[in-house]
Amino acid sequence: MNPLLRIEDLHVDIPGAAGVLRALRGVSLTVNEGETFALVGESGCGKSLTAMAALGLLPRAARMRAGRLALDGQDLTRFSQRRWNALRATQVAAIFQEPMTALNPVLTIGRQMTEAYVQHGLGSETEARRRASELLERVGVLPVGRRLAQYPHQMSGGLRQRVMIAMALMCRPRLMIADEPTTALDVTTQVEILRLLQELQRDTGMALLLITHDLGVVAHVAERMAVMYAGEVVETGPVAQVVTQPAHPYTAALLRCLPVQATRDRPLVPIPGVVPALFGPLEGCAFRNRCALAGEDCAGSIPWRERAGQGYRCLRDEVPA
Amino acid sequence: MNPLLEVRNANLSFPTRRGLFGRGTAVPVLRDVSLRLETGQVLGIVGESGSGKSTLARLVLRLLKADSGAVLIDGQDHRDLSPRAFAAAVQPVFQDPYSSLNPKRTLAQILEMPLVLAGDFVAEERRTRVRAMLDRVGLPQRLLHSYPAQLSGGQRQRVAIARALMVRPRLLICDEPTSALDVSVQAQILQLFDELRRDFGLTCLFISHNLAVIERIADRVGVMYRGQIVEDGEGRTFFAGPQHAYSRLLLSSTLPPIPGRPLPDVARPWDAN
Amino acid sequence: MSDIALPDPRRAALRRALRHGGLIAGLAVVAAVVLLAVFAPLIAPHDPAAQNLTLRLIPPAWQEGGNPAYLLGTDHLGRDYLSRLIFGARVSLAVGLSVMVLSGLIGATLGFLGGYFGGRIDDLVMYVITVRLSMPGLLVALAVMSLLGGSLVTMITVLSLLFWDRYAVVTRTAVRQLRQADFVTAARVAGASHRWILWHEVRPNVMPQILVVATLEMAMAILSEASLSFLGLGIQPPTPSWGIMIAEARSFLFAKPYLVWMPGLAIFALVLAINLLGDGLRDVSQPEGRR
């Protein structure tokens, strides 16, 4: 398996009125060619920011520092704005939670789909229209002829997300970054979109970096995953292992507080307390103030450990599931 | 014995306004909805967006008026109740903890509001009750004079629940109260609901799109689809074997965190035409 | 349970205000002018209306032929210019503040009614706003003032009846959004009357926006007063008004330019300061509340 996207020791600081927010603190992950990699965590953990860094779309005020940020061997840390634009037009595509904000409300679907394609010299207007039609048909936005002439607000949330996917596929990306693509959708529509993404991956061989808070979605579609907490990756590994035998107490706690169908008699165990503020230097394990297994040793530096394909940042060997 | 809440054959449609002079058509949102909720029970309502579940909540809260049918609180048409009597009986908890608290008022002011409006309490009594309620929902006393902007989403939702409980209402209408929260916070709020049910014998209409949440919290389940309640039954029986095709589809579409399973088939054969 | 202690939003706003240069500068100038106006009889070295034709057109003290007793010189009737400028501030502020408050009451009331109740009431409010917007404000003021004759009270009344539109539009839009907020619904279900909701739930949330409009309107009223008085349709002499002072100095524009630029500068500085104050208030009140 060849690594496609490699992020090593990524730091992002965001200066603000209240001080410098250490939003990402040494994030490392690798997405292999053709695989689905899930980045999981709760709001504010830095999962979207990691995606934005990989897309070159960090907020202007953010300061980034990375040991490595590479796509298919190209070093992205030194990319100019122009090269980022070209990269996003041809190799990496992104879809977001709310397609309405990513679509231009005053342009027709057809216009939006073809414009960037032509602009970046990927083909002629005619070719662009043909490809747009093919893709809309493929993602099930029918009847294609009428849909091309419609505006985003004339479609339902599920259809808009399909349009976004079709639009993202125009440039035949090698990597698609999907940030909470199904969070705003109904459960049945969510399954439809996830199935579509799976099929498209099978057809095109693209890799998918799926950013989500939903462990149920992860278990069904991803092969490998990373769990983020307070700006760090705390655990990574194959989904089948991480979800059934979590190595980090946070992953275990997250699974314990998730209501799952047909387990009504298993008590939900909320995680006590709140995420620490990410201002200034943070020593030791960021989860220790909420962790049942924490001890005095957790205030020191925590090494990254590996066990049977799972990597995690915790001193404890046994984590009760 | 009357049920605490009864909705009888409620129909409601929204007029669409087309321009200044064009005549709008009516879009039916609730179609012959009937339900009963006994004291002490939690009735979970599930359904997809646009199924009419939030409209049902707003109808019960008297924020909308039905075209036909009735909503009865303890046998009495809820439109016949005075604002005070209604407030003492029914209180809401909303989805968005950011929109549900006035950013310009302190927690003390927000929590006192229902008591001030109820009018039966002297200032001293109001303060005592507010402090007791803060304890009850697990908020530290020192937050009393802070503003909503100083709280996390979970804390805000605790305040919203506390506000609803201040007048000890008999019925709580919860519209997606945990949907905007992270799962770890959602678990805290669900636990709080459990405790409140035990302490106050809360009766609750609990609307959610999350079946796993409904399964945990509800005694009875109603499934809404296109403005109708297509299935209604006791919780355990429902989750063991849903009868309606849409209920089964909904149940199979929820994804548990169990690896190795394929994505379910979500075709709607009954919609094919 | 531990919890995040985020800063008190009021204290945070105050901190932002103290660090906002424009706001502080604007506030300082406005405060200084207010003090001058309030204590004018104590501060002014001379009676602003006392004429002394033997002391006509004395230049400012720092110029050739200046007299230290008349720091900014005298006008064509021998009145002390500094004293007239100080008393002129009274007129500007009286008109500015009165119009700001009165037009604010009219506009905000309309905005509250239309935005909150919607429907027919809103249609009516929108109609009234449209009618007002289709009238050229200053031109109507000119016509009415020349018809009724100028006086402080007439001017304040006329300007107040004309300059409420921005209040109405801004308030209406803000209230319309707030009406949808869940906290308003919660208050309704808790049995609150519309009056209670408007006062306790809605008003505190639109005050910052109204305050910003208020500064703009005050500046506008001060400029209008100066223009009308300059044209002889506003405050009547001998009451010292900056507009009148410029008008009276017109014939000396080239011989004694200070007679024109001094009151001109006063108007400019006060209006600039009020606008800075308004911009500052907007900057400080904005990043509050929601995400």
Side-chain angles (χ1 to χ4, degrees), chain B residues 68-172:
Chain B
S68 67
V71 178
L72 308 178
I73 305 287
D74 215 359
Q76 225 183 336
D77 191 310
H78 73 163
R79 297 234 151 239
D80 297 340
L81 296 168
S82 71
R84 241 184 229 192
F86 183 76
V90 186
Q91 282 294 309
V93 176
F94 299 106
Q95 171 175 3
D96 180 2
Y98 288 84
S99 160
S100 67
L101 304 181
N102 190 337
K104 296 288 181 185
R105 311 200 84 203
T106 64
L107 258 55
Q109 291 173 318
I110 289 169
L111 293 179
E112 259 190 76
M113 181 265 288
L115 298 180
V116 173
L117 292 170
D120 305 332
F121 305 92
V122 294
E124 186 55 42
E125 201 178 343
R126 291 201 298 263
R127 272 195 291 278
T128 320
R129 281 193 172 220
V130 166
R131 289 186 173 281
M133 187 56 77
L134 276 183
D135 274 344
R136 190 59 214 83
V137 299
L139 288 169
Q141 295 289 338
R142 57 177 196 75
L143 290 179
L144 196 58
H145 298 292
S146 45
Y147 291 87
Q150 294 169 264
L151 308 185
S152 67
Q155 288 175 326
R156 284 168 191 244
Q157 202 58 305
R158 283 174 195 268
V159 177
I161 293 168
R163 173 181 59 194
L165 294 176
M166 284 310 293
V167 290
R168 300 280 158 82
R170 304 174 58 200
L171 174 61
L172 216 52

Side-chain angles (χ1 to χ4, degrees), chain C residues 30-115:
Chain C
V30 173
V33 174
V34 169
L35 285 177
L36 278 180
V38 171
F39 298 108
L42 301 177
I43 299 170
H46 300 274
D47 178 351
Q51 303 182 7
N52 188 340
L53 293 178
T54 59
L55 297 171
R56 295 180 67 224
L57 296 172
I58 296 176
W62 62 87
Q63 279 184 18
E64 182 89 36
N67 180 342
Y70 301 93
L71 208 56
L72 300 183
T74 59
D75 66 4
H76 62 292
L77 296 173
R79 294 172 294 194
D80 177 43
Y81 223 50
L82 175 61
S83 303
R84 287 185 68 73
L85 276 177
I86 292 174
F87 274 88
R90 288 189 146 188
V91 170
S92 287
L93 284 180
V95 172
L97 288 172
S98 314
V99 172
M100 176 182 97
V101 171
L102 291 176
S103 61
L105 284 176
I106 300 172
T109 306
L110 285 172
F112 271 113
L113 291 176

Side-chain angles (χ1 to χ4, degrees), chain C residues 72-158:
Chain C
L72 300 183
T74 59
D75 66 4
H76 62 292
L77 296 173
R79 294 172 294 194
D80 177 43
Y81 223 50
L82 175 61
S83 303
R84 287 185 68 73
L85 276 177
I86 292 174
F87 274 88
R90 288 189 146 188
V91 170
S92 287
L93 284 180
V95 172
L97 288 172
S98 314
V99 172
M100 176 182 97
V101 171
L102 291 176
S103 61
L105 284 176
I106 300 172
T109 306
L110 285 172
F112 271 113
L113 291 176
Y116 183 74
F117 291 105
R120 287 273 169 87
I121 297 179
D122 191 35
D123 291 347
L124 185 70
V125 166
M126 277 314 284
Y127 178 74
V128 176
I129 293 177
T130 312
V131 168
R132 160 60 198 92
L133 286 176
S134 49
M135 297 193 293
L138 209 55
L139 221 60
V140 174
L142 269 173
V144 177
M145 292 296 287
S146 57
L147 219 72
L148 297 177
S151 84
L152 191 65
V153 176
T154 326
M155 169 136 58
I156 289 172
T157 315
V158 169

Side-chain angles (χ1 to χ4, degrees), chain A residues 25-297:
Chain A
R25 303 178 297 121
V27 169
S28 300
L29 58 89
T30 304
V31 180
N32 293 321
E33 268 174 31
E35 78 169 343
T36 301
F37 187 94
L39 197 50
V40 184
E42 297 188 279
S43 47
C45 71
K47 56 190 192 298
S48 290
L49 209 58
T50 306
M52 288 300 161
L55 285 165
L57 293 174
L58 283 176
R60 207 171 283 252
R63 291 194 300 254
M64 186 183 94
R65 188 152 47 82
R68 188 206 293 259
L69 178 59
L71 184 81
D72 204 12
Q74 313 159 80
D75 180 8
L76 305 182
T77 53
R78 304 191 177 285
F79 259 33
S80 66
Q81 200 54 50
R82 253 191 50 209
R83 293 192 67 189
W84 271 117
N85 287 343
L87 183 86
R88 286 195 298 266
T90 55
Q91 295 174 54
V92 189
I95 58 176
F96 300 98
Q97 175 173 346
E98 187 26 77
M100 204 54 196
T101 54
L103 291 169
N104 187 334
V106 298
L107 295 183
T108 62
I109 298 302
R111 184 75 193 283
Q112 298 189 52
M113 288 187 72
T114 52
E115 206 163 65
Y117 190 82
V118 177
Q119 213 170 49
H120 287 279
L122 296 171
S124 69
E125 181 77 39
T126 332
E127 282 164 357
R129 279 200 91 77
R130 192 184 319 130
R131 179 149 178 81
S133 306
E134 279 169 20
L135 285 170
L136 284 184
E137 174 135 26
R138 178 68 195 82
V139 300
V141 178
L142 302 169
V144 172
R146 204 181 78 215
R147 295 296 184 189
L148 277 170
Q150 277 186 335
Y151 293 90
H153 69 264
Q154 293 171 296
M155 303 180 170
S156 69
L159 269 183
R160 281 201 290 263
Q161 198 55 285
R162 285 169 191 266
V163 169
M164 274 306 294
I165 293 171
M167 207 185 276
L169 291 174
M170 284 295 284
C171 63
R172 301 183 174 84
R174 315 220 10 226
L175 171 67
M176 183 187 280
I177 296 180
D179 190 351
E180 304 272 8
T182 60
T183 305
L185 304 174
D186 289 314
V187 283
T188 52
T189 320
Q190 160 166 291
V191 173
E192 288 170 17
I193 296 291
L194 292 174
R195 284 175 74 114
L196 175 65
L197 283 173
Q198 273 188 338
E199 287 165 16
L200 290 170
Q201 246 185 312
R202 214 163 35 227
D203 296 355
T204 64
M206 69 176 176
L208 180 66
L209 174 58
L210 178 70
I211 291 146
T212 179
H213 70 281
D214 191 330
L215 285 165
V217 169
V218 173
H220 279 77
V221 301
E223 283 121 43
R224 294 193 310 126
M225 68 189 283
V227 180
M228 287 190 72
Y229 182 78
E232 282 182 314
V233 171
V234 294
E235 175 165 6
T236 180
V239 170
Q241 268 170 264
V242 174
V243 169
T244 50
Q245 303 143 26
H248 194 281
Y250 174 65
T251 316
L254 209 52
L255 284 160
R256 273 197 302 271
C257 66
L258 184 71
V260 176
Q261 219 153 1
T263 60
R264 182 176 179 148
D265 303 317
R266 179 185 62 107
L268 286 189
V269 188
I271 307 175
V274 292
V275 186
L278 298 182
F279 296 105
L282 217 64
E283 291 291 317
C285 175
F287 188 59
R288 69 178 188 277
N289 64 329
R290 310 172 72 183
C291 180
L293 306 178
E296 272 168 34
D297 48 343

